[in-house]
Amino acid sequence: GQSLEQPSEVTAVEGAIVQINCTYQTSGFYGLSWYQQHDGGAPTFLSYNALDGLEETGRFSSFLSRSDSYGYLLLQELQMKDSASYFCAVDVQGGKLIFGQGTELSVKP
Amino acid sequence: DGGITQSPKYLFRKEGQNVTLSCEQNLNHDAMYWYRQDPGQGLRLIYYSQIVNDFQKGDIAEGYSVSREKKESFPLTVTSAQKNPTAFYLCASLPQAGGASTGELFFGEGSRLTVL
């Protein structure tokens, strides 16, 4: 079976830094992706890690440790528009992506 | 503009009826996907296709069927055998599958199906 665990909700204030963790147990592993979804909308891609380490894209960074089956998404300088759901997804078969249950991030003024 | 087009955006059906959701992409992507999302939940994989005329079941394929006769099209039929079909359905594509995958799915705007 496949399982991805992430916190169901996180709250932070504008300007702060927040980290959303994802641990996984899957039959295969090609890489870990992160997606953002605003209410009623489609998910949009944020980042992808195939190898261990940190990937930085603007205010967002993503980290992967394959030996620990663990990754996280780091959001810096939080803005109100960052309030959304964030999903980790594991590519288990070179093109078969399985999603976590999502973390709802609330950014407060 | 390149992208993924899903239709209809909203759909209502009566119990016992089959319904087909359309998904078309002009991105020239190899792989296409159907996911289901229930309120407050993650995305669950229904079916995926990495090449024309071939597709694989995901985790919740029962009560659904698909076809991939053309690279750009991947329609999903929700059959009367699906016991609880009311959900948000998302179609997505991936430029390349296999070892060249970059994990970047491109999503359509979704189709909301309500069974009355």
Side-chain angles (χ1 to χ4, degrees), chain B residues 20 24 30 39 42-43 47 53 56 59 66 68 78 81-82 84 89-90 101 105 108 111:
Chain B
T20 297
E24 303 280 329
D30 288 337
L43 282 69
Y47 270 99
N53 291 323
Q56 289 78 41
D59 297 326
V66 294
R68 186 87 186 277
V78 184
Q82 169 49 234
N84 185 20
Y89 291 89
L90 287 157
S101 171
L105 288 170
S111 293

Side-chain angles (χ1 to χ4, degrees), chain A residues 33 35 37 48 91 94-95 97 101, chain B residues 33 35 37 41 98 102-103 105:
Chain A
S33 303
Y35 290 82
Q37 186 181 33
Y48 177 71
D91 186 338
L97 280 81
Q101 291 292 299
Chain B
Y33 304 78
Y35 288 91
Q37 187 175 33
Q41 301 296 311
T102 59
L105 288 170

Side-chain angles (χ1 to χ4, degrees), chain A residues 17-39:
Chain A
I17 299 173
V18 71
Q19 178 174 313
I20 299 173
N21 299 321
C22 176
T23 57
Y24 58 88
Q25 284 187 302
T26 57
S27 55
F29 183 87
Y30 280 69
L32 180 71
S33 303
W34 289 92
Y35 290 82
Q36 178 191 62
Q37 186 181 33
H38 286 99
D39 271 349

Side-chain angles (χ1 to χ4, degrees), chain A residues 4-89:
Chain A
L4 285 77
E5 298 290 332
Q6 48 181 131
S8 58
E9 53 186 41
V10 173
T11 301
V13 296
E14 263 188 306
I17 299 173
V18 71
Q19 178 174 313
I20 299 173
N21 299 321
C22 176
T23 57
Y24 58 88
Q25 284 187 302
T26 57
S27 55
F29 183 87
Y30 280 69
L32 180 71
S33 303
W34 289 92
Y35 290 82
Q36 178 191 62
Q37 186 181 33
H38 286 99
D39 271 349
T44 56
F45 173 81
L46 295 175
S47 69
Y48 177 71
N49 296 68
L51 302 175
D52 287 358
L54 190 69
E55 296 280 344
E56 297 181 70
T57 309
R59 293 188 297 114
F60 294 0
S61 303
S62 58
F63 172 82
L64 174 65
S65 169
R66 294 178 66 140
S67 59
D68 294 322
S69 297
Y70 164 76
Y72 66 72
L73 179 69
L74 192 72
L75 296 83
Q76 303 182 73
E77 301 172 19
L78 280 175
Q79 302 174 8
M80 297 296 290
K81 67 178 182 180
D82 296 329
S83 292
S85 293
Y86 293 84
F87 297 90
C88 59

Side-chain angles (χ1 to χ4, degrees), chain B residues 17-86:
Chain B
Q17 289 181 333
N18 292 356
V19 62
T20 297
L21 307 180
S22 170
C23 179
E24 303 280 329
Q25 56 105 352
N26 60 5
L27 300 168
N28 199 33
H29 287 178
D30 288 337
M32 297 187 75
Y33 304 78
W34 276 104
Y35 288 91
R36 168 180 172 145
Q37 187 175 33
D38 293 285
Q41 301 296 311
L43 282 69
R44 291 186 290 166
L45 183 62
I46 305 173
Y47 270 99
Y48 65 108
S49 167
Q50 297 184 328
I51 194 170
V52 175
N53 291 323
D54 189 37
F55 49 83
Q56 289 78 41
K57 293 182 179 179
D59 297 326
I60 56 165
E62 185 175 353
Y64 300 98
S65 66
V66 294
S67 63
R68 186 87 186 277
E69 298 176 0
K70 300 184 296 183
K71 186 175 185 178
E72 58 269 24
S73 179
F74 192 42
L76 173 73
T77 296
V78 184
T79 76
S80 56
Q82 169 49 234
K83 298 306 178 188
N84 185 20
T86 294

